[in-house]
Each structure stands twice: as C-alpha cells, then as structure tokens.
Amino acid sequence: MPTLLSNLRSGVLALTLNRPERANAFDFEMIEELQAAFKLAASDAQTRAILLTGAGRVFSAGQDLDEMKVVGGTPSYRDHLLKTYNPLVLQIRQIEKPVLAALNGPCAGAAVGIALACDVRVAAPEARFVIGFSGIGLVPDSAVSLLLPAVIGLGRAEYYFMTNKPIPAQEALEWGLVSHVFEVDFMGQARTLADQLAAGPVGAFGLAKRAFNRAVLQRLEDVLNTEAELQERAGKSSEHREGIAAFLEKRKPKFH
Ligand code: T3D
C-alpha cells in the first residue's frame, strides 16, 4: 500500500498522506515519497497547484513515534531532521506553485510545520492543531518555532507549545492559522479552491512566494538548522525518554 497517494487532474496535484491506521504519522518512506512528489511537481508544467491532505480522520500525527523507537536507543535527531522535514519544508516554500493544505482532521508535531509551510490552509470542523512536541519532551521543529509565532504571535505560540492544548478549528480560523473552515462537503470545497488556484496566474504566484519568503521568512534555513541542533539535545534527554515511553504505554508522562 503506498504511503502517499498522488493524483493529477485539471492542473491540481492531489497528494494524500495514506497511513490512516497510524494517524498518517510520517515514517521515513512517506517523507521520501513527499519529497519526490514535490521535486517532480516543481518541474512538471501540468502541475499548477498542489493539494495536500490526509486519508481518514486525521491529517497527520507528525513523526511516527513507533519508528523513533525502532530507529534505536540513540538516534541522531539532527541527522534525521536534515534528511527529512527540513528539506521538505524548504521544498514547499520554494516550489513556485501554490500549495494548499486541506486539514481533514487533527495535525500534530512536524505536521503542524508542514501545514504552516503551505501557502493556504483550510480546515474541516473537526480539525485541530496539536503542537505536540512538548508532550514527548522535544522542542518545536519543522520550522514550527518560526511559522507558528509568525501567524499567531509569540505568546500564544509558546502557550500552546508548553501546554500542548489543542487549537480547535474555530480558533485556528480566528487567528489566521486557516483561511476557511468548510462545514459541509469539506473535500469538495477544498478541491474547488485548489482548482481556482490552478486557474490563477501561477507564474505570478511563484514570484510572489519568492517575495513573501524574502520579506517574512529570510531566516528559515537558519531556524531549521537551529531547531535540528536543539532537537539533537532534547532527543537525548531523560524527558524525551519518559515522553516516548509514556506515549507507547498510553499513559501520561511524568517529568521530574
Ligand atoms: O528527528 C526527528 O524527526 C524528531 C522530530 C519529531 C517531530 C514530531 O512530529 S514530534 C511529535 C509527534 N507527534 C505527537 O506527539 C502527536 C501524537 N498524537 C496525537 O496527539 C494524537 O494522536 C492526534 C491529535 C494526532 C490524533 O488524536 P486522535 O484522538 O484523533 O487519535 P489517537 O487515538 O490519539 O491516535 C490514533 C492511533 O494513531 C493510535 O493508535 P491505536 O491506539 O489506534 O493503535 C495512536 O497511538 C496512533 N498515533 C497517534 N500519533 C502517532 C501514532 N502512532 C505513531 N506515531 C504518532 N505520532
């Protein structure tokens, strides 16, 4: 079963994260498939817009925490980030075509960064943002430390990171994390918006992305590298060991 479904129709490349039984958590294979899909889309003249969504009831739970356990006792999170989310976030920001995230359900951890890197986000009513990292003793990565405060402000970003409280769809709408909550026919309405973007002046959209990146996200690469360094430290902590153990044992973590 492919972990990423891909379908090109009328200029819209629909990419669907497809591990619904694991809450569409990113494993290495899915991230590689996403990177390959964005690479191909960048040079494919038929692709005028990209629609990213999740199969089932969750957009994505972020990094597959079972895979972290499998990777071994002392994985290098720096190396992992440099191969996975960091290049993917840069691909999404640098592709000169509009990228629409259709948040069909909750998104957490690295998936928050992926969603925020997209140009436009729309949400189903049951979608929510769960910042996620602090629950397992990690720091924000995948550009969340830059993109989240850029949208909702530093105070709110730190509050939702530290408490790990979910941000429901309605708040996400009020705070500009998403531009619409589609109450009925969510995927139909998301698709209509993607079609509108694909029918737009995509050349100008691409140049505008350069301008937005330059104006607001000049430090993106620097921040991604800093996050990777900090995650390397956090990933070796007893807090992270306890956070992962608690997640796998389905209990609340006890941080001392
Ligand atoms: O080097 C590096 O790359 C480090 C970088 C890390 C980046 C990260 O992304 S760290 C953050 C990882 N993500 C989280 O901490 C989020 C954990 N999950 C959740 O908060 C919730 O599952 C959701 C809010 C996403 C969805 O909640 P809900 O209630 O709709 O679903 P659920 O029941 O919690 O999850 C459904 C199943 O998916 C469940 O399995 P089960 O009990 O049916 O067998 C759950 O364990 C599993 N699942 C959820 N999240 C993950 C996961 N399995 C693996 N990895 C996950 N991240």
Side-chain angles (χ1 to χ4, degrees), residues 22-23 25 57 61-66 68 77 80-81 85 106 108-110 128 130 132-133 136 141 247 250:
R22 305 303 308 151
R57 60 177 190 83
Q63 172 61 37
D64 186 324
L65 298 178
D66 287 310
M68 281 172 149
Y77 288 173
H80 187 248
L81 286 167
Y85 302 110
R128 59 191 193 274
V130 177
F133 303 93
I136 51 169
D141 62 29
F247 177 84
K250 297 188 188 292

Side-chain angles (χ1 to χ4, degrees), residues 9-247:
R9 179 164 55 89
S10 309
V12 175
L13 177 68
L15 297 176
T16 305
L17 307 172
N18 190 39
R19 300 183 76 216
E21 71 294 346
R22 305 303 308 151
N24 294 324
F26 295 112
D27 64 358
F28 198 66
E29 186 186 342
M30 191 197 263
I31 300 169
E32 275 195 322
E33 287 183 358
L34 269 172
Q35 290 174 345
F38 273 96
K39 188 172 176 199
L40 196 64
S43 61
D44 175 26
Q46 303 301 313
T47 300
R48 292 179 55 82
I50 294 139
L51 172 64
L52 180 63
T53 192
R57 60 177 190 83
V58 176
F59 175 73
S60 168
Q63 172 61 37
D64 186 324
L65 298 178
D66 287 310
E67 188 179 63
M68 281 172 149
K69 178 188 63 176
V70 172
V71 166
T74 53
S76 168
Y77 288 173
R78 182 207 299 110
D79 293 354
H80 187 248
L81 286 167
L82 296 185
K83 278 193 219 126
T84 56
Y85 302 110
N86 289 13
L88 180 58
V89 166
L90 291 172
Q91 277 183 298
I92 296 172
R93 288 310 315 157
Q94 287 166 2
I95 191 168
E96 299 208 341
K97 304 178 183 198
V99 185
L100 168 65
L103 304 176
N104 52 302
C107 72
V112 173
I114 302 301
L116 293 179
C118 295
D119 303 298
V120 182
R121 284 160 297 286
V122 295
E126 48 283 350
R128 59 191 193 274
F129 288 80
V130 177
I131 309 309
F133 303 93
S134 68
I136 51 169
L138 290 183
V139 301
D141 62 29
S142 310
V144 168
S145 65
L146 174 64
L147 299 172
L148 188 64
V151 180
I152 67 173
L154 182 60
R156 276 186 191 139
E158 292 197 315
Y159 174 78
Y160 283 93
F161 163 70
M162 288 178 187
T163 61
N164 210 12
K165 281 177 75 167
I167 304 174
Q170 272 310 321
E171 264 92 343
L173 179 64
E174 283 162 28
W175 299 346
L177 281 166
V178 299
S179 52
H180 294 279
V181 176
F182 292 136
E183 301 279 344
V184 287
D185 187 20
F186 169 69
M187 269 322 287
Q189 294 209 63
R191 174 72 206 203
T192 301
L193 180 53
D195 286 336
Q196 280 169 16
L197 294 172
V202 170
F205 291 166
L207 295 177
K209 282 184 74 165
R210 281 194 214 183
F212 286 127
N213 288 342
R214 179 78 185 214
V216 186
L217 300 177
Q218 257 189 40
R219 292 176 299 105
L220 178 58
E221 286 197 55
D222 179 37
V223 169
L224 286 167
N225 287 329
T226 300
E227 288 178 343
E229 294 301 327
L230 297 174
Q231 204 66 293
E232 180 77 7
R233 283 174 60 181
K236 294 189 186 319
S237 69
S238 57
E239 290 177 344
H240 179 53
R241 280 195 298 279
E242 165 60 9
I244 286 284
F247 177 84

